[in-house]
Amino acid sequence: MSQSGTWVKRIVDSRFFQEAMSKSETLFTQNQVGLLTLIKGALKKVQETATSNNLTVVKLLNRYIVLFSELIKAYVQGTYTKLPVITLVKITAALLYFIMPFDFIPDFLPLVGFADDLAIVVWVGKAVKEELDTFEKHL
């Protein structure tokens, strides 16, 4: 396994991401209003991150967060339901992890604080790439 793959695996195996997965399952199955609140929080945080950083990686993060948010919103509204539940749970977990201030690398640490958030969001994005591509064609 590559060095970056090992690093992402450590984040995925961390109690922080496992907690996000657990909360995601509950949120997704029991609280659609909470899902919409999560989307709002994730979009706000990515906008703040993009405003304070002019990095290409932030643009990638922004793209995934916006796409994940649109996908969940479309699912909740019933306009796009062609996804396996596990895909939606992973995407919801990535958004939860992204907005958690205390995770594998706490967000308040300058420059590196969002590196783990980026890693999780990109990892989930790659894991569900086919579903995201299909959804983008639907837009």
Side-chain angles (χ1 to χ4, degrees), residues 10-90:
R10 288 179 59 202
I11 298 168
V12 169
D13 291 342
S14 74
R15 68 179 172 87
F16 303 106
F17 188 70
Q18 294 306 311
E19 179 182 323
M21 281 294 288
S22 178
K23 285 182 179 178
S24 172
E25 290 177 40
T26 303
L27 190 61
F28 184 75
T29 59
Q30 299 174 11
N31 189 350
Q32 291 188 344
V33 172
L35 277 174
L36 297 175
T37 302
L38 169 64
I39 291 169
K40 184 178 178 182
L43 291 171
K44 181 180 179 197
K45 182 175 177 182
V46 79
Q47 183 179 28
E48 290 168 356
T49 303
T51 300
S52 64
N53 295 286
N54 191 17
L55 302 172
T56 303
V57 292
V58 174
K59 292 177 184 170
L60 177 62
L61 180 66
N62 183 63
R63 179 187 179 285
Y64 276 122
I65 296 297
V66 169
L67 188 56
F68 289 173
S69 298
E70 288 175 357
L71 183 76
I72 290 173
K73 189 165 55 171
Y75 189 86
V76 168
Q77 293 171 341
T79 59
Y80 191 80
T81 57
K82 301 176 185 178
L83 291 168
V85 172
I86 189 62
T87 298
L88 292 160
V89 169
K90 285 179 185 177

